[in-house]
């Protein structure tokens, strides 16, 4: 479960949706990783969670409240934790937290968080209803 406390000092107690290593090609001239690269990792993570709910293809339809708390450096291990926060008729909203483990350091730091919304789509790109939620029985 993702902790709603923005000052939390521990990563969520769920598996990350994705992990990546920040590389030099993803950095600006000062050695900090571009915010756009971080956003793309967040979008991949949220899309993965949303596609499971849709049991198929989804498209990003909205992004809001992205907060960049701390810069990401080349060599950081970037982990994106994504959890569904809302399920509509055709859409899924996810909250995503990005945590990094600095090179050769055990502790992790929350660097970014935000909300992404996806819509389930047909092969032709038109919206489709989400399938019913399967019961846990």
């Amino acid at each position: 479960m993702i902790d709603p406390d923005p000052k939390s000092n521990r990563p969520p107690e769920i598996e990350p949706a994705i992990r990546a290593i920040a590389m030099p090609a993803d950095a600006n001239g000062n050695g900090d990783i571009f915010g756009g690269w971080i956003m793309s990792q967040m979008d991949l993570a949220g899309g993965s969670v949303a596609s499971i709910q849709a049991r198929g293809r989804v498209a990003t339809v909205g992004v809001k409240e992205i907060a960049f708390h701390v810069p990401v450096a080349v060599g950081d291990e970037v982990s994106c934790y994504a959890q569904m926060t809302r399920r509509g008729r055709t859409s899924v909203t996810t909250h995503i937290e990005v945590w990094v483990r600095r090179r050769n350091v055990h502790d992790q730091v929350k660097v970014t968080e935000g909300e992404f919304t996806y819509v389930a789509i047909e092969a032709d790109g038109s919206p489709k209803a989400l399938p019913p939620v399967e019961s846990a029985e």
Side-chain angles (χ1 to χ4, degrees), residues 67-91:
F68 294 93
H69 304 299
V70 180
V72 175
V74 170
D76 285 350
E77 177 187 84
V78 178
S79 298
C80 297
Y81 297 86
Q83 187 169 29
M84 180 179 67
T85 56
R86 189 177 92 57
R87 189 179 200 275
R89 191 180 74 75
T90 63
S91 66

Side-chain angles (χ1 to χ4, degrees), residues 5-131:
D5 179 8
K7 302 273 190 219
S8 177
N9 61 356
R10 291 189 326 204
E13 294 182 9
I14 59 175
E15 287 294 314
I18 63 167
R19 277 198 175 131
I21 302 296
M23 300 300 286
D26 307 316
N28 62 26
N30 296 317
D32 297 319
I33 300 302
F34 286 115
W37 182 84
I38 295 168
M39 288 177 63
S40 71
Q41 300 305 303
M42 294 172 77
D43 196 16
L44 289 168
S48 175
V49 168
S51 69
I52 291 168
Q53 289 295 313
R55 291 191 215 131
R57 196 170 158 203
V58 296
T60 310
V61 294
V63 178
K64 76 178 206 183
E65 299 182 28
I66 290 185
F68 294 93
H69 304 299
V70 180
V72 175
V74 170
D76 285 350
E77 177 187 84
V78 178
S79 298
C80 297
Y81 297 86
Q83 187 169 29
M84 180 179 67
T85 56
R86 189 177 92 57
R87 189 179 200 275
R89 191 180 74 75
T90 63
S91 66
V92 174
T93 300
T94 62
H95 178 77
I96 302 157
E97 289 185 6
V98 181
W99 289 72
V100 300
R101 182 182 352 259
R102 304 291 186 197
R103 194 178 344 182
N104 303 321
V105 176
H106 179 71
D107 293 335
Q108 295 185 60
V109 177
K110 186 191 315 185
V111 296
T112 309
E113 62 188 309
E115 185 176 284
F116 286 64
T117 300
Y118 305 86
V119 66
I121 56 174
E122 301 281 3
D124 67 358
S126 62
K128 73 173 188 176
L130 294 172

